[in-house]
Amino acid sequence: MSSVAALAIALPGAALAQDGGTPQDPDATQLDEVIVTGIRRGIADSISIKRDETSLVEAVSAEDIGKLPDVSIAESIARLPGLAAQRVNGRAQVISIRGLAPDFTTTLLNGRQQASSGDNRSVEFDQYPSELLSSVVIYKTPDAGISGMGLSGTADLRTVRPLTFQERAIAVNVRGELIEGDALNDDVRNYGGRASISYIDQFADGTFGLALGYAHLDSPSQNQHYKAYGYEAFGFAVTPDSADDALILNGQELFATSRLNTRDAFIAIAEWRPNDRLHSILDLYYSKFDQEETTRGAQWFSNGWADGATFTNVQTEQRGGSTFARSGTLNGGVPIIRNDYNTREDELFSVGLNNEYQIDDVTRVRADLSYSSNIRDEQILETYAGYGRGVGGVTPGTPDVGRTLDTITFEVNDDGYPTYSEGLNYADAGQVSLGDRAPWGGWGHDGAIRFPHVEESIYAIDLSAERDLDGFFTSVSAGVNFANRDKMKRVDDFDLFLKNGRQQVLVDPQYLETPTSLGYAGFGSVLSVDLSRALDVYYDRAPILDANYFDKNWDIEERVTTFFAKADFEGGRFRGNIGLQVVQQEQESTGVVINGLEPGQPIVPTSVTKGADYTDVLPSLNLIYDLGGGHRLRFATSKTMARPRMDEMRANVTPGFNSLVCTGQPCTPGQTVNPWSASGGNPELEPWRANAYDLAYEWYVNSTTYFSIAAFYKELETYIYQQTGTFDFSGIPLPSTASAIPAGVLISPIGQMTLPANGDGGVVQGLEVSGALNFGTIWEPLDGFGMTGSISFTESDLNPSPTGDEVRIPGLSGMVYNLTGYYERNGFQARISKRFREAFKGEVVQLFATRGYTEILDDEQVDAQIGYTFQSGQFEGLGLLFQVNNLTNSPYRTRLGLDTGGTTTADGGALPETYEEYGRQFLFGINYRF
C-alpha cells in the first residue's frame, strides 16, 4: 500500500473490506481499487476506524501527514456526533462528550493518560497541535483493556506509526494568519503564522522506523468585550417619573483584549520490529505554550446609590412584563480605566515505551511504561486609573480623591454592544492618572497581581498478556495497570499600591502606547500603558494572606491500580467483547485549616492531611450484530466511573464564627447557640459512578458514505454537589469576638460544614444521528461532492440533594449539531462547516483567578476553506490553501445569573450579561509532500 493508503470502494449496500482483505459481509462485492486522498481520505479513514472498533467510537483522521481538517484538535473533534466545544477567548479549548462536563472525560495520548495543566483533570486540547497527530478516537463505550476510561467517554489522541508506511515521507506545512480589522491594541499585532514539518522513514530492511515532527504556532486573537454587572430600579434618581420603575444597568465594562499564542511542539517516534516476535515503540512528545494577553478599557458603576448619580432623558420599553431603560443619560459616572497584562506558560512532556513479545503463535505479552507531566505558570495583572489627579489615594476617609464626575449617554441594544458617549477624554495623558477610582471609598488598592502555579505528573505501568483461541471466544487478555498522579496548586496573591503613599501619578510618556479605542461601543479611546515596563516603576506589592489565598493552595496524590480481563468473541453474525475491570483507588490530600477569626490578626494555618480508598468493579459488554449488506446493530452496557474534581478534593477548611448569633433574637443564660460554620473541600470524595446502556444502528454504504443512529442512557448512581452537614469545631479556640455573646449563653462546638459530597444521582440520556454522504454514490456525475453531519439531543434529570432540587450538569446542551459540505476533484478542494450548540452551564475564570459557572447562550461557528493540490508536473505534491474561521463573526454571549439566580424580568426572563466578538480569522497556507 502506498503512503496515501489505497482504499477499496464497495458497491452501495456492501460492507467495506478491512485492510484490503476479504469483505466482512459474504454478500459484498468488491470493486477495483482506487486512490482516495485529501478530504475524502480523512473521511474514509475516520469511517474505517468507527466501523472496525468493537467499542462504539467516533473518529477524525488526517487527510495526509500533518493535515487534520481544522487548525486545532478541539475544533476537529467538536464536529463529531455527541461532542461539543466550549470557546475560551474565541478558541475551542475544552470538550463535553454527550452533555457531560469535561471533568467526566479522560484524555489519552497513544492510549496513555495525560497530565493536565488545568485546575482539575480535563485536558486543554490547544496544547496538542493538530499537525502532529494522525487521528483522534473518541470512545463512547469503554474497552476493558484500556485503563482510565472516562464516565462520559475517552479521547485518544494518536500519532503515526512509522512502520505502517512503505516509503520515506516528508511533509511541510506553512500558513500565514490574520485577524480581520485593525489591531485592538496598537502594541500587539493581529497577524501571525504557523509551520510544521514531519519526517517518516524506515531503516534496516524495514525493521526500524522513525518519525519526527515539529510544529510552531504564532497565532493572534482579539476580543471586543462588554459585560453588564446587573440591573436595578433607581426611582429616586430618575427622570421622567414614568421611568421610576425601569430596570437600569447598575454597572458595565468595555475591554479590548489582544492575545499572542506561541507554541512549539515536538514528537519523536521510534518503532522497532526486528522479527515476528518482538515489537517495540518509543513515543516522545513535548510542547511549550506561551500566551500573552493585553487588555485595556473602562468600567464604571451607573448606580443611583453611588456618587449621587442621576438619570435623565430615560426612554423605556417593555421586556418580559418589566419596564426596561432603553436609553438615557447618566449624570455622575466615574469610569475606572483598566490596563491589564496577563501571561501564561504551559510545559507538557510525555514519554511512553511499549514492548510486545510473541511467545508463540497464539500468545503475546505486553509491557507499557509511561510518564506525563504538565506545568503551568501564570501572571494575572490588573491596574486602575481615572480622570483627574488628587493628593493621596481613595480611602473611606477620603472618598473623592482624584475622582471626576462625568456625563455619559447610553443606549442598550437587544443583542449586541450598547452605545455610549462620554464627556471626558480618557486618553488624555495630561489628565488621566494611575490610582483607585472606585466609589464607596474605593477598593483599598491600586491594582492586583496573582501568580497561579500548577504542576501535575502521572507515571504508569501497564502489563498484559493475550492468547488467541479457537471457537466462539477468539482471544482472551488480562493484565494490571498502576498509575500514580500528583497534583499541586499554588496561587501567590499581591495587592498593588502606588509608590509615595498611594500618590496618584501621571504616566511618563516613555511608558505609553497609542490609546486603545472602545469605539465598537461608541466610547472613545482610553490611556494605554505598557505594564511590562511600567509596573515596577509605579507600584509596590503587598502579599494578600487572606482565607481565599490559603484556600487556593493544595496538594493531591492518587494511586490507582486497575486489574482487567477481556474476552473477544465471534460466532455467526455476532462479534464483540466482554470485560471486567477492578479499580483500587487511594487518594490523599494535604491542605490547611484556615483559622482567620481574630480581626486584624494574621491567619495561622494548620496543616492537615486526609484521604480515603475505594474499590470499583466495572463490567462491560460491546456487541455487534451484522445484518448484512453493510447494516449492523450495536449494543453496549457497562458500569463506568470518573474520579472527583481535584479542587473539590482539597483538604482545606475555612471556619467561620457568627458572634452576632444573638442579634435579633433573645439569648438567655443556659440557652445553647451554634455560631460555628465552615466550608472547604472533601478529600474523602468517592468517584462519580454510572450504569450506561447504548444501542445503535449503522449502515456502511462505501468508504465515504455511512448512516448511524444511536441512543444512550446513563444512570448516575451518585453525583457530587455542595452539601451542608454538622461538624465538631472543638479543636478550634473561641475568637475574641465571642465576647459579644451574652454571659451564660452556652456556645456549642457543633456547627454546620458545607463541602462537596456524594449525593443521589439521576439520568442522562440522548439520541445521536450522524452520517456522511458522497453524492457520487447516488449519481456518478456528482462524484466529488459530499457532506457529513450529525445532530444530538441530550437531557438530564439529576436530584442529588435531600431537598430534591434539580441540578444542571455543566457542559450539557440540549441540542448540538454539526454540518459540513465539501467538494474535491482533480486536486481542487472546498469545504464549509458549521457547528452549533444550545445554551449550557459553562465553567469560566472569574474574580480573583477562581473558577465558577455561568450560563453561556447558544453558540455557533462557521468555517470555510478552499485549496488546490498539484497532481502532476514539477509542482506535484504542492498544495495551496485559503481558510476563513469564524466566518460569520459569531458572538459569545452569557446571561445574567445562573439557573434561577440573577435579576430577571417579571415573567422570569433572563437579561443579557456578556457579549464578545472575536473577528474573522484568515489563513493562507502552502503544503508540500515529498
Side-chain angles (χ1 to χ4, degrees):
M1 187 190 301
S2 73
S3 60
V4 292
L7 297 169
I9 304 298
L11 280 173
L16 193 73
Q18 296 187 30
D19 300 325
T22 303
Q24 294 177 19
D25 182 2
D27 299 328
T29 301
Q30 184 173 332
L31 294 183
D32 294 336
E33 187 178 68
V34 300
I35 300 298
V36 179
T37 61
I39 295 174
R40 286 184 288 177
R41 156 75 188 276
I43 294 173
D45 284 355
S46 299
I47 293 175
S48 177
I49 293 172
K50 179 180 177 68
R51 183 192 64 246
D52 294 344
E53 284 279 355
T54 307
S55 299
L56 184 60
V57 306
E58 307 293 347
V60 59
S61 295
E63 300 168 6
D64 201 348
I65 299 172
K67 288 180 64 179
L68 271 174
D70 292 282
V71 295
S72 80
I73 291 300
E75 289 163 347
S76 290
I77 63 179
R79 303 191 192 283
L80 296 175
L83 278 72
Q86 178 179 329
R87 285 198 285 177
V88 178
N89 300 327
R91 297 165 129 7
Q93 186 180 81
V94 294
I95 298 294
S96 295
I97 299 178
R98 289 183 156 177
L100 292 170
D103 298 310
F104 292 95
T105 302
T106 298
T107 300
L108 312 174
L109 179 62
N110 292 322
R112 306 175 181 109
Q113 292 188 52
Q114 292 296 286
S116 167
S117 62
D119 291 354
N120 290 289
R121 304 174 190 276
S122 59
V123 166
E124 296 175 355
F125 286 95
D126 52 8
Q127 294 189 32
Y128 297 89
S130 59
E131 297 92 335
L132 299 185
L133 297 178
S134 63
S135 64
V136 182
V137 178
I138 306 296
Y139 287 86
K140 292 180 174 178
T141 63
D143 183 321
I146 302 177
S147 299
M149 300 292 279
L151 184 145
S152 63
T154 302
D156 188 10
L157 315 181
R158 297 179 179 179
T159 57
V160 298
R161 292 291 177 245
L163 289 184
T164 62
F165 290 75
Q166 302 301 313
E167 58 186 20
R168 176 187 299 169
I170 301 175
V172 179
N173 300 307
V174 179
R175 297 186 190 182
E177 187 173 333
L178 176 69
I179 304 298
E180 72 170 327
D182 297 330
L184 298 184
N185 290 281
D186 192 64
D187 53 335
V188 183
R189 54 185 164 80
N190 63 340
Y191 60 89
R194 56 187 71 201
S196 68
I197 182 170
S198 299
Y199 167 82
I200 301 172
D201 208 349
Q202 303 80 33
F203 307 91
D205 296 324
T207 62
F208 181 80
L210 182 66
L212 301 173
Y214 166 69
H216 174 72
L217 173 76
D218 182 6
S219 176
S221 62
Q222 299 194 143
N223 175 9
Q224 295 175 326
H225 166 90
Y226 159 75
K227 183 177 180 179
Y229 295 158
Y231 303 83
E232 196 172 345
F234 306 107
F236 59 90
V238 176
T239 57
D241 293 341
S242 59
D244 284 353
D245 295 330
L247 292 173
I248 298 177
L249 267 173
N250 61 21
Q252 56 264 292
E253 63 188 30
L254 300 171
F255 295 148
T257 297
S258 303
R259 299 178 186 88
L260 287 178
N261 306 282
T262 306
R263 181 189 61 215
D264 290 286
F266 306 84
I267 61 166
I269 302 152
E271 186 175 11
W272 185 46
R273 193 161 196 164
N275 51 55
D276 291 337
R277 292 188 176 274
L278 182 62
H279 187 195
S280 297
I281 302 176
L282 176 66
D283 294 294
L284 293 168
Y285 175 76
Y286 173 83
S287 74
K288 187 172 182 292
F289 194 6
D290 294 329
Q291 300 174 69
E292 182 179 327
E293 177 182 277
T294 298
T295 296
R296 296 174 177 123
Q299 60 183 147
W300 65 96
F301 293 93
S302 47
N303 189 299
W305 301 102
D307 302 313
T310 62
F311 302 88
T312 55
N313 301 318
V314 176
Q315 303 295 314
T316 65
E317 64 183 21
Q318 290 297 306
R319 288 194 184 181
S322 295
T323 303
F324 189 84
R326 175 78 179 208
S327 62
T329 300
L330 166 68
N331 305 287
V334 182
I336 301 164
I337 306 305
R338 288 279 294 272
N339 278 267
D340 300 356
Y341 180 64
N342 303 330
T343 62
R344 173 170 170 171
E345 179 182 297
D346 294 272
E347 190 169 11
L348 171 62
F349 173 72
S350 292
V351 59
L353 174 63
N354 183 278
N355 294 284
E356 178 180 317
Y357 183 72
Q358 187 90 21
I359 297 176
D360 54 39
D361 290 343
V362 295
T363 308
R364 297 168 293 282
V365 292
R366 298 185 183 92
D368 190 279
L369 306 174
S370 64
Y371 174 80
S372 177
S373 67
N374 210 323
I375 300 174
R376 174 183 114 214
D377 283 293
E378 287 184 88
Q379 171 188 285
I380 302 174
L381 167 63
E382 60 182 49
T383 64
Y384 321 130
Y387 196 94
R389 182 170 55 153
V391 178
V394 174
T395 68
T398 58
D400 296 321
V401 170
R403 302 182 73 247
T404 306
L405 303 181
D406 196 1
T407 299
I408 304 172
T409 64
F410 65 89
E411 181 175 355
V412 181
N413 298 316
D414 292 330
D415 188 23
Y417 297 110
T419 302
Y420 298 100
S421 177
E422 75 283 12
L424 299 174
N425 180 8
Y426 294 98
D428 186 349
Q431 294 292 333
V432 177
S433 65
L434 301 178
D436 180 12
R437 296 303 201 282
W440 300 298
W443 285 327
H445 55 275
D446 302 305
I449 188 168
R450 296 175 172 84
F451 297 96
H453 173 80
V454 175
E455 291 185 20
E456 181 173 349
S457 64
I458 303 174
Y459 65 83
I461 179 171
D462 190 286
L463 305 173
S464 65
E466 183 178 6
R467 185 175 179 84
D468 296 332
L469 303 174
D470 293 325
F472 178 73
F473 287 101
T474 58
S475 68
V476 292
S477 59
V480 61
N481 176 283
F482 174 78
N484 190 97
R485 181 191 298 258
D486 286 291
K487 186 154 193 162
M488 60 89 75
K489 181 181 180 182
R490 299 288 183 271
V491 182
D492 293 327
D493 293 348
F494 297 87
D495 276 331
L496 296 178
F497 296 99
L498 288 168
K499 296 179 182 295
N500 303 318
R502 298 188 63 193
Q503 174 59 49
Q504 295 175 4
V505 59
L506 299 174
V507 180
D508 190 294
Q510 67 175 310
Y511 303 115
L512 294 177
E513 299 291 343
T514 302
T516 296
S517 172
L518 304 179
Y520 64 88
F523 206 89
S525 297
V526 296
L527 192 76
S528 298
V529 183
D530 181 358
L531 288 175
S532 65
R533 296 187 298 127
L535 180 64
D536 293 331
V537 174
Y538 293 103
Y539 295 94
D540 293 322
R541 304 181 187 183
I544 305 172
L545 300 176
D546 59 5
N548 184 57
Y549 160 76
F550 288 102
D551 197 33
K552 289 187 291 189
N553 296 274
W554 41 262
D555 296 84
I556 292 175
E557 181 180 5
E558 297 176 342
R559 296 171 294 278
V560 180
T561 304
T562 303
F563 301 92
F564 61 91
K566 185 178 74 168
D568 294 295
F569 57 84
E570 184 171 358
R573 292 184 177 271
F574 285 99
R575 69 181 180 92
N577 62 49
I578 185 169
L580 180 71
Q581 290 188 346
V582 179
V583 185
Q584 296 180 347
Q585 307 149 78
E586 301 176 41
Q587 60 196 44
E588 184 176 88
S589 175
T590 299
V592 291
V593 176
I594 308 164
N595 189 354
L597 300 175
E598 289 296 340
Q601 298 298 313
I603 294 174
V604 181
T606 303
S607 180
V608 58
T609 299
K610 292 184 178 180
D613 58 87
Y614 307 101
T615 299
D616 281 271
V617 179
L618 308 176
S620 63
L621 168 68
N622 291 285
L623 181 64
I624 299 174
Y625 180 72
D626 194 335
L627 297 169
H631 302 271
R632 62 168 58 171
L633 294 176
R634 287 183 184 265
F635 173 75
T637 180
S638 60
K639 186 169 184 176
T640 59
M641 54 159 280
R643 303 279 301 141
R645 287 173 57 103
M646 303 194 87
D647 58 352
E648 292 184 339
M649 293 171 60
R650 70 193 191 281
N652 296 337
V653 177
T654 305
F657 189 88
N658 181 15
S659 59
L660 303 178
V661 66
C662 290
T663 301
Q665 65 172 335
C667 288
T668 59
Q671 178 181 347
T672 299
V673 294
N674 302 83
W676 286 103
S677 64
S679 63
N682 183 358
E684 299 179 358
L685 276 177
E686 297 186 33
W688 286 294
R689 299 183 176 103
N691 298 311
Y693 307 90
D694 288 82
L695 180 64
Y697 160 76
E698 299 171 344
W699 178 25
Y700 295 96
V701 180
N702 57 42
S703 67
T704 52
T705 300
Y706 87 98
F707 172 78
S708 172
I709 181 168
F712 69 91
Y713 182 90
K714 291 184 184 292
E715 181 184 19
L716 274 68
E717 294 182 342
T718 180
Y719 193 82
I720 297 172
Y721 73 106
Q722 292 292 319
Q723 177 178 309
T724 300
T726 58
F727 184 79
D728 189 345
F729 292 83
S730 298
I732 303 177
L734 290 174
S736 59
T737 55
S739 60
I741 298 176
V745 174
L746 303 178
I747 300 175
S748 172
I750 304 301
Q752 290 189 327
M753 169 83 83
T754 301
L755 72 170
N758 295 92
D760 294 333
V763 170
V764 180
Q765 58 189 343
L767 183 70
E768 301 163 351
V769 181
S770 64
L773 175 62
N774 178 353
F775 291 162
T777 304
I778 302 172
W779 189 34
E780 187 175 353
L782 292 178
D783 186 50
F785 289 96
M787 62 180 295
T788 65
S790 69
I791 186 167
S792 305
F793 303 94
T794 309
E795 62 180 17
S796 70
D797 182 12
L798 295 181
N799 305 95
S801 68
T803 61
D805 295 333
E806 186 173 350
V807 171
R808 293 177 62 203
I809 298 178
L812 191 151
S813 293
M815 181 181 69
V816 176
Y817 72 79
N818 302 278
L819 186 65
T820 297
Y822 68 87
Y823 174 76
E824 181 178 50
R825 196 163 186 174
N826 300 323
F828 181 79
Q829 300 176 352
R831 172 169 47 200
I832 185 166
S833 301
K834 178 180 180 179
R835 68 173 188 261
F836 170 87
R837 70 181 302 188
E838 281 189 333
F840 64 101
K841 180 179 179 179
E843 186 178 21
V844 296
V845 176
Q846 297 182 326
L847 290 174
F848 312 123
T850 57
R851 309 289 294 188
Y853 295 102
T854 189
E855 176 85 5
I856 300 176
L857 301 181
D858 293 357
D859 191 32
E860 67 179 24
Q861 182 89 31
V862 178
D863 304 321
Q865 70 177 52
I866 59 173
Y868 180 77
T869 301
F870 291 89
Q871 307 291 293
S872 60
Q874 60 179 338
F875 295 115
E876 181 179 0
L878 177 67
L880 306 177
L881 174 73
F882 178 68
Q883 189 168 355
V884 183
N885 295 327
N886 194 21
L887 184 64
T888 60
N889 194 18
S890 172
Y892 168 91
R893 301 167 301 144
T894 70
R895 70 166 175 83
L896 197 68
L898 180 64
D899 299 328
T900 58
T903 307
T904 61
T905 58
D907 64 358
L911 293 168
E913 181 188 38
T914 302
Y915 186 92
E916 296 180 351
E917 290 183 2
Y918 307 109
R920 297 169 182 83
Q921 178 191 43
F922 302 96
L923 298 101
F924 177 77
I926 299 175
N927 312 306
Y928 187 49
R929 165 76 182 275
F930 56 94

